[in-house]
């Protein structure tokens, strides 16, 4: 990878050892491995994670062939993989060879996640040394319309789930009259099976900051907010440190890079409401209110935060903007298939052998993702279902696995790509219980504004309980379908409007369970 | 008078006990720090909870007065968000992820194990006040499921044995 080579060539002294400081890597013991490295007296660096989570804790050591990877490691194995002089033991059974040539990584197309897992997240010098802020510098030379045109050309669509073309959203905000405009980053990644936002914020926070500044320049907004989940305390600390450093280096504030242009950022901590991932509920929450969804229209692009025109984008959409500005919209749109341009940050989770993040061009099939990249189920039992797109996404049976992973193809089978997370279940999964959970979750997280969602989800849970208890199952199944129909057609937002999809998919594809 | 500083630790404050006057002063101080921010209510409530471990009953009235809001508005916000709590938690809080990826990796038996071990259900605190148990919907550790968080420390690939080690 070019970024790595550039940065590696700047290293002159002793070889270094790298152990991720990503919270998921730490959750399975990376800190213990890091302590063992320090005990050996070797210089230690703590980057983010490569996203190869089945190999965490993953340790890497510099060598003439690039970084050599070892994993998953226990602290007591460290002295066996690297000696006191920092030389890697290539014969060790946990040796993965040069990590950049390791197939699960080399088969990817890392654009948004080019630096994650390589650089130390809050070190601004390393960010600058790996082409950081190059996209911003180019944006500063262009006018707002030129930036918007570049994003339109790239074909980038919202990576949060709705897949709305980012360039068109920015155009609407740019054209909207208003004295004040805002850029809001939706970092309330609450869908089960997704962790790309967390990984990026913990591994390459300046990339998100750079994307937000460019969004500000493109739409003439001077203030940005990052609405970040309280469930991600480490991402919050990393982003907070990066925002202060960026400000101290003149990338944020009243005079960005001496251009006279203004943009500043504020981090806001959420408080555990799933519904605040819905953009209008998030805006209410940022205003200091209950996270209750708003009627649309007006669109947030015209009347958003504090009633002003507002760009609301997901973390990954915004973090993809710098590479588009650096290498051009034409370059980015070469990747992908159909109307899904660029790369997909695929996240494999649940009962899968190789769970992690894979940045690949759109168009791979579900089977290629789960069996090829993921290596099948972790339990080695037959696969029963895959849930794509979080708790509001349908359960896809084995027969649907040849569907390509792009927005339109998944939609055509009644599923959705969402934020790119796939949760795999083996044949021990109780699909009836999962359908019940979908309704229960909707009842817990409903904001309460509209009746189909607030009451429907509670009644849905009860009806599923009755079916599972064998009470008049045929009539209750019909009732459940009617109720789902009411929720889909009558709810104000995607929570009530889509929570029925996993339920209906169980009725359709796994009737033996419900 | 106790001096509050940011991040002074929820565990200590929640158990030393603050007098009514001290709590009032603390709330005023935190409101003062955030008053200049637009839509300051969530940062204010987080500040109070970080200092005290929970939002005591006088919060709604005091914050309403300081931020020129109605008491109902503040109460409405406190009661809306799952992570704002109105009762003192145990010394440590164990959050167990209930979401689908963790279900796929068998979080059910893990939840049963914890309930039995601590003798409490979700949203409860043990009699000795050492632990509170809370459900949580996704910790972003879905590739290393099942996941739990002890205070703000994330743990992945958690088994019943591993959980026992964490709690003992």
């Amino acid at each position: 990878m070019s970024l790595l080579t550039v940065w590696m060539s700047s290293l002159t002294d002793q070889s270094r050892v790298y152990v991720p400081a990503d919270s998921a890597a730490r959750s399975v013991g990376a800190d213990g491995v890091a302590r063992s490295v320090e005990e050996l007296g070797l210089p230690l660096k703590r980057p983010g994670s490569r996203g190869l989570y089945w190999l965490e804790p993953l340790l890497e050591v510099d060598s003439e062939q690039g970084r050599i990877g070892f994993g998953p490691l226990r602290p007591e194995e460290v002295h066996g993989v690297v000696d006191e002089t920092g030389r890697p033991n290539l014969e060790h059974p946990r040796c993965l060879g040069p990590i950049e040539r390791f197939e699960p990584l080399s088969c990817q197309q890392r654009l948004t996640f080019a630096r994650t897992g390589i650089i130390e997240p809050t070190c601004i010098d390393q960010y600058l040394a790996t082409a950081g802020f190059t996209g911003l510098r180019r944006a500063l030379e262009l006018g707002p319309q030129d930036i918007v045109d570049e994003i339109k050309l790239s074909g980038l669509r919202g990576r949060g789930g709705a897949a709305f073309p980012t360039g068109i959203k920015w155009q609407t905000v740019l054209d909207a009259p208003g004295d004040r405009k805002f850029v809001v980053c939706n970092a309330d990644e609450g869908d089960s099976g997704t962790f790309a936002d967390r990984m990026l914020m913990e591994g390459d926070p300046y990339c998100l900051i750079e994307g937000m500044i460019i969004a500000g320049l493109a739409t003439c907004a001077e203030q940005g907010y990052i609405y970040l989940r309280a469930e991600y305390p480490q991402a919050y600390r990393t982003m907070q440190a990066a925002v202060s450093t960026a400000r101290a280096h003149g990338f944020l504030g009243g005079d960005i890079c001496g251009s006279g242009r203004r943009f500043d950022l504020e981090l806001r901590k959420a408080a555990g409401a799933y519904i605040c991932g819905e953009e209008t509920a998030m805006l209410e929450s940022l205003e200091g209110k209950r996270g209750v969804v708003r009627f649309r229209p007006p669109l947030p692009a015209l009347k958003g935060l504090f009633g002003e025109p507002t760009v609301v984008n997901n973390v990954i959409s915004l973090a993809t903007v710098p590479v588009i500005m650096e290498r051009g919209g034409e370059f980015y749109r070469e990747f992908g298939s159909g109307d899904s341009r660029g790369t997909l940050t695929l996240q494999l989770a649940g009962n899968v052998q190789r769970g992690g993040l894979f940045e690949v061009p759109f168009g791979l099939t579900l089977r290629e993702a789960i069996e090829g990249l993921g290596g099948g189920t972790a339990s080695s039992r037959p696969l029963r279902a895959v849930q794509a797109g979080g708790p509001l996404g349908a359960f896809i049976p084995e027969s649907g696995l040849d569907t390509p992973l792009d927005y339109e193809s998944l939609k055509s089978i009644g599923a959705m790509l969402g934020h790119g997370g796939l949760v795999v279940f083996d044949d021990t999964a109780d699909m009836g219980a999962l359908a019940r959970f979908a309704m229960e979750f909707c009842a817990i997280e409903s904001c309460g504004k509209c009746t189909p969602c607030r009451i429907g989800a509670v009644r849905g849970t009860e009806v599923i309980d009755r079916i599972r208890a064998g009470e008049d199952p045929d009539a209750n199944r019909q009732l459940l379908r009617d109720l789902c129909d009411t929720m889909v057609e009558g709810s104000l937002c995607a929570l009530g409007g889509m929570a029925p999809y996993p339920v209906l998919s169980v009725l359709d594809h796994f009737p033996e369970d419900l | 008078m106790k001096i509050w500083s940011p991040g002074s630790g929820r565990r200590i404050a929640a158990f030393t006990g603050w007098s009514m006057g001290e709590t009032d002063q603390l709330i005023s101080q935190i409101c003062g720090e955030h008053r200049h921010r637009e839509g300051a209510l969530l940062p204010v409530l987080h500040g109070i909870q970080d200092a005290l471990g929970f939002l005591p009953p006088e919060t709604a009235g005091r914050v309403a007065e300081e931020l020129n809001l109605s008491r109902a508005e503040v109460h409405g916000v406190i009661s809306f968000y799952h992570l704002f709590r109105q009762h003192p938690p145990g010394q440590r809080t164990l959050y167990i992820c209930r979401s689908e990826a963790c279900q796929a990796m068998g979080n059910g038996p893990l939840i049963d194990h914890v309930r039995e071990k601590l003798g409490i259900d979700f949203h409860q605190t043990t009699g000795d006040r050492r632990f509170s148990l809370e459900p949580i919907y996704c910790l972003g550790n879905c590739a290393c499921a099942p996941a739990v968080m002890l205070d703000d420390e994330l743990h992945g690939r958690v088994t019943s044995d591993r959980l026992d080690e964490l709690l003992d």
Side-chain angles (χ1 to χ4, degrees):
Chain A
M1 187 183 295
S2 61
L3 276 174
L4 181 70
T5 332
V6 171
W7 188 52
M8 290 277 295
S9 64
S10 69
L11 301 176
T12 47
D13 49 352
Q14 204 185 349
S15 73
R16 293 166 167 84
V17 180
Y18 306 83
V19 179
D22 171 277
S23 64
R26 294 178 61 213
S27 84
V28 292
D31 288 349
V33 171
R35 269 194 300 278
S36 294
V37 173
E38 282 172 328
E39 279 161 22
L40 281 175
L42 294 169
L44 173 70
K45 297 280 173 189
R46 304 291 306 263
S49 171
R50 302 267 190 178
L52 311 174
Y53 282 118
W54 74 98
L55 294 171
E56 294 290 2
L58 173 67
L59 175 148
E60 294 172 27
V61 190
D62 279 336
S63 80
E64 297 83 27
Q65 307 171 63
R67 293 188 194 176
I68 308 292
F70 298 88
L73 278 193
R74 289 193 306 272
E76 60 273 21
E77 290 174 309
V78 169
H79 71 271
V81 304
V82 56
D83 65 19
E84 283 88 353
T85 65
R87 194 173 317 124
N89 173 7
L90 301 172
E91 306 301 314
H92 195 277
R94 300 254 189 245
C95 182
L96 307 164
I99 194 78
E100 300 284 335
R101 274 179 266 153
F102 181 59
E103 219 222 319
L105 201 56
S106 64
C107 72
Q108 297 187 39
Q109 186 63 52
R110 294 258 182 159
L111 300 177
T112 309
F113 283 83
R115 293 179 201 87
T116 307
I118 298 176
I119 64 167
E120 285 182 294
T122 54
C123 175
I124 201 162
D125 291 334
Q126 291 179 27
Y127 185 70
L128 288 163
T130 48
F133 292 119
T134 313
L136 172 64
R137 287 186 207 282
R138 177 154 172 254
L140 283 167
E141 290 163 10
L142 301 174
Q145 188 60 55
D146 295 329
I147 305 174
V148 172
D149 289 342
E150 193 75 63
I151 299 300
K152 277 187 193 163
L153 178 66
S154 75
L156 178 67
R157 293 167 69 180
R159 298 285 188 251
F164 189 81
T166 306
I168 294 179
K169 191 183 274 185
W170 289 17
Q171 185 74 62
T172 312
V173 176
L174 174 61
D175 295 341
D179 299 335
R180 287 202 306 168
K181 295 178 183 179
F182 296 101
V183 176
V184 172
C185 171
N186 184 345
D188 198 34
E189 176 179 60
D191 290 347
S192 175
T194 66
F195 42 84
D197 295 358
R198 179 191 58 69
M199 208 181 112
L200 187 114
M201 291 187 288
E202 289 179 358
D204 193 10
Y206 295 113
C207 184
L208 173 58
I209 295 172
E210 183 179 353
M212 290 188 72
I213 304 169
I214 297 170
L217 295 174
T219 57
C220 302
E222 296 187 340
Q223 177 67 43
Y225 289 92
I226 302 175
Y227 187 81
L228 213 167
R229 314 183 71 209
E231 291 88 338
Y232 287 178
Q234 184 175 323
Y236 189 86
R237 289 192 294 269
T238 308
M239 283 308 309
Q240 208 168 26
V243 167
S244 333
T245 309
R247 195 178 289 128
H249 282 74
F251 291 104
L252 288 172
D255 185 17
I256 304 165
C257 303
S259 66
R261 309 283 295 273
R262 168 187 295 274
F263 188 78
D264 213 335
L265 261 184
E266 192 181 320
L267 211 54
R268 284 282 172 97
K269 197 193 282 180
Y274 176 76
I275 190 62
C276 291
E278 197 281 337
E279 60 179 2
T280 62
M282 183 181 60
L283 296 173
E284 289 286 302
S285 184
L286 278 169
E287 292 181 9
K289 301 174 192 158
R290 292 163 70 91
V292 173
V293 301
R294 294 178 183 170
F295 286 102
R296 272 181 294 198
L299 292 171
L302 298 172
K303 216 167 173 304
L305 188 62
F306 305 114
E308 307 290 351
T310 304
V311 171
V312 183
N313 281 143
N314 162 260
V315 173
I316 303 303
S317 315
L318 287 163
T320 302
V321 165
V323 69
I324 294 172
M325 290 313 293
E326 180 204 336
R327 304 178 77 167
E330 197 67 63
F331 163 81
Y332 189 76
R333 70 169 302 116
E334 278 170 25
F335 302 94
S337 75
D339 285 333
S340 304
R341 309 313 312 170
T343 53
L344 161 69
T345 47
L346 179 68
Q347 299 135 78
L348 295 181
N351 199 327
V352 66
Q353 212 144 87
R354 296 194 287 265
L357 179 136
F358 300 85
E359 186 175 348
V360 289
F362 285 95
L364 192 77
T365 66
L366 274 162
R367 192 182 302 284
E368 287 164 339
I370 292 163
E371 292 173 5
L373 297 173
T377 60
S379 57
S380 302
R381 300 181 63 96
L383 176 144
R384 181 113 199 257
V386 183
Q387 189 175 32
L392 310 179
F395 292 102
I396 303 164
E398 224 274 337
S399 59
L401 289 193
D402 293 312
T403 312
L405 281 163
D406 63 58
Y407 299 117
E408 279 69 28
S409 303
L410 280 174
K411 209 171 162 189
S412 73
I413 61 160
M416 67 162 172
L417 186 51
H419 191 37
L422 300 181
V423 179
V424 180
F425 296 86
D426 72 9
D427 64 347
T428 60
D430 177 347
M431 302 310 293
L434 283 161
R436 186 191 187 280
F437 180 80
M439 280 292 184
E440 185 195 358
F441 180 72
C442 181
I444 294 169
E445 299 296 339
S446 174
C447 80
K449 183 159 181 165
C450 70
T451 319
C453 172
R454 184 185 66 245
I455 307 287
V458 177
R459 295 289 171 259
T461 315
E462 294 165 358
V463 175
I464 293 174
D465 282 341
R466 286 204 286 275
I467 298 170
R468 283 163 65 80
E471 281 177 45
D472 203 358
D474 290 334
N476 275 316
R477 268 186 215 110
Q478 189 52 49
L479 191 62
L480 183 60
R481 281 190 186 272
D482 288 351
L483 176 67
C484 286
D485 191 47
T486 304
M487 290 175 72
V488 169
E489 301 299 331
S491 298
L492 257 182
C493 81
L495 178 57
M498 297 179 74
Y501 288 137
V503 179
L504 290 167
S505 69
V506 171
L507 286 171
D508 290 339
H509 303 302
F510 307 94
E512 62 280 19
D513 278 21
L514 188 66
Chain B
M1 170 54 61
K2 296 179 182 72
I3 305 294
W4 177 78
S5 64
S8 62
R10 61 181 68 169
R11 247 178 279 164
I12 309 155
F15 290 93
T16 47
W18 295 62
S19 74
M20 202 73 146
E22 286 170 335
T23 312
D24 279 0
Q25 185 164 341
L26 171 91
I27 293 174
S28 300
Q29 187 191 333
I30 293 171
C31 288
E33 282 165 21
H34 296 287
R35 193 175 284 118
H36 65 282
R37 300 166 83 171
E38 277 184 282
L41 189 50
L42 264 74
V44 163
L45 295 175
H46 273 301
I48 299 168
Q49 184 160 293
D50 284 348
L52 296 176
F54 74 113
L55 299 170
E58 57 268 40
T59 306
R62 287 295 306 155
V63 171
E65 210 169 290
E66 292 278 349
L67 297 185
N68 196 23
L69 297 166
S70 76
R71 216 187 136 119
E73 282 171 302
V74 182
H75 174 77
V77 167
I78 294 173
S79 57
F80 183 86
Y81 295 94
H82 302 306
L83 294 177
F84 287 140
R85 37 176 159 217
Q86 301 179 61
H87 302 286
Q91 281 165 289
R92 307 200 76 181
T93 301
L94 179 71
Y95 299 93
I96 298 197
C97 179
R98 284 195 68 206
S99 294
E100 290 86 346
C102 289
Q103 290 180 39
M105 289 303 279
N107 71 346
L110 199 63
I111 292 171
D112 292 342
H113 175 79
V114 166
R115 279 181 172 140
E116 198 179 321
K117 185 179 167 72
L118 297 179
I120 52 172
D121 208 338
F122 284 129
H123 309 298
Q124 294 180 348
T125 300
T126 54
D128 61 5
R129 305 210 60 80
R130 282 186 64 208
F131 292 103
S132 293
L133 183 62
E134 296 289 339
I136 204 153
Y137 298 91
C138 199
L139 293 164
N141 202 14
C142 319
C144 303
V148 308
M149 190 159 78
L150 189 57
D151 294 330
D152 66 355
E153 205 179 277
L154 184 63
H155 298 274
R157 299 179 200 145
V158 179
T159 58
S160 299
D161 289 346
R162 179 81 189 107
L163 205 55
D164 287 347
E165 284 170 34
L166 288 174
L167 296 179
D168 289 336

